[in-house]
Amino acid sequence: MTHVDSVADGKSPPMAAGRVAYQGAPGAFSHEACLNLRPWDTPVGFPTFEAAIEAMTSGDCGCALIPVENSSIGRVEPAASLVEALDLDPIAEVWRPIRLALMAAPGARLADIKTAESHPAALGQCVHTLTAMGIAAVEAFDTAGAAQIVAEAGDPTRAAVAPISAADAYGLSILRNDLQDSADNRTRFVLLSATPT
């Protein structure tokens, strides 16, 4: 299995250029991890971990990149259980630092934010910070997907917890950086393939 710490070296030849399935919307942490680990491939987002893995097993995508463990919250469920059920050895892995940002519609003020939306795993990584700020956590299917929803709603009392890149992607303003409870917050992603390499 190939191990990559945080940045692809750019020297490894591609196994087979193509499509990498991930769970989430463009700008999600999994999307960023795809670009890091397989820069020669095209990331393709799916709404659920099951759909991303199905795209890999059906041959629609050559491989799938799935988050399975986080340094702050432990196993990322249900992703870790799905990977175990496949009984496939990962062909590569990457640990990536995870920096969470609180973002909202332009003009929103931090003092007015009542709710923060994100994937349950991301909310778990900043639960203490959100609680201390008096902001209620609201689960969404994905970090970047939550940013897109908040942008479309335009409600100045709603925010999203997502990667910094999602603010640019969806036209949101960052109200606070480094929302994660732990300064050393990292997630392990594994790359799966349905065909032997």
Side-chain angles (χ1 to χ4, degrees):
M1 177 176 63
T2 302
H3 176 76
V4 180
D5 287 327
S6 61
V7 178
D9 61 16
K11 299 176 183 175
S12 302
M15 292 178 289
R19 293 155 49 98
V20 182
Y22 70 94
Q23 185 274 329
F29 289 110
S30 291
H31 180 248
E32 291 180 349
C34 285
L35 296 173
N36 175 253
L37 187 60
R38 301 277 293 185
W40 50 82
D41 282 340
T42 301
V44 182
F46 292 88
T48 65
F49 294 119
E50 292 91 345
I53 290 175
E54 170 61 26
M56 183 242 344
T57 57
S58 71
D60 182 46
C61 292
C63 48
L65 191 68
I66 306 294
V68 294
E69 180 183 0
N70 175 266
S71 60
S72 297
I73 64 169
R75 285 168 59 92
V76 175
E77 294 293 357
S81 293
L82 286 170
V83 170
E84 289 173 357
L86 281 175
D87 197 28
L88 292 174
D89 291 327
I91 58 174
E93 71 173 25
V94 59
W95 276 97
R96 286 187 54 82
I98 303 296
R99 294 183 59 203
L100 301 168
L102 186 72
M103 56 194 70
R109 300 182 311 155
L110 184 58
D112 295 331
I113 300 300
K114 304 299 182 190
T115 60
E117 304 173 32
S118 195
H119 188 277
L123 293 173
Q125 294 164 38
C126 61
V127 62
H128 300 301
T129 303
L130 288 176
T131 299
M133 296 171 70
I135 298 174
V138 177
E139 293 186 359
F141 84 99
D142 176 51
T143 53
Q148 184 176 12
I149 291 167
V150 166
E152 291 170 355
D155 184 341
T157 69
R158 294 171 64 180
V161 175
I164 294 169
S165 59
D168 290 334
Y170 301 107
L172 297 175
S173 297
I174 294 178
L175 302 180
R176 177 168 169 176
N177 279 312
D178 292 321
L179 200 67
Q180 63 275 1
D181 295 329
S182 169
D184 186 30
N185 189 39
R186 296 172 294 122
T187 293
R188 181 168 68 98
F189 296 85
V190 293
L191 186 70
L192 305 172
S193 174
T195 57
T197 58

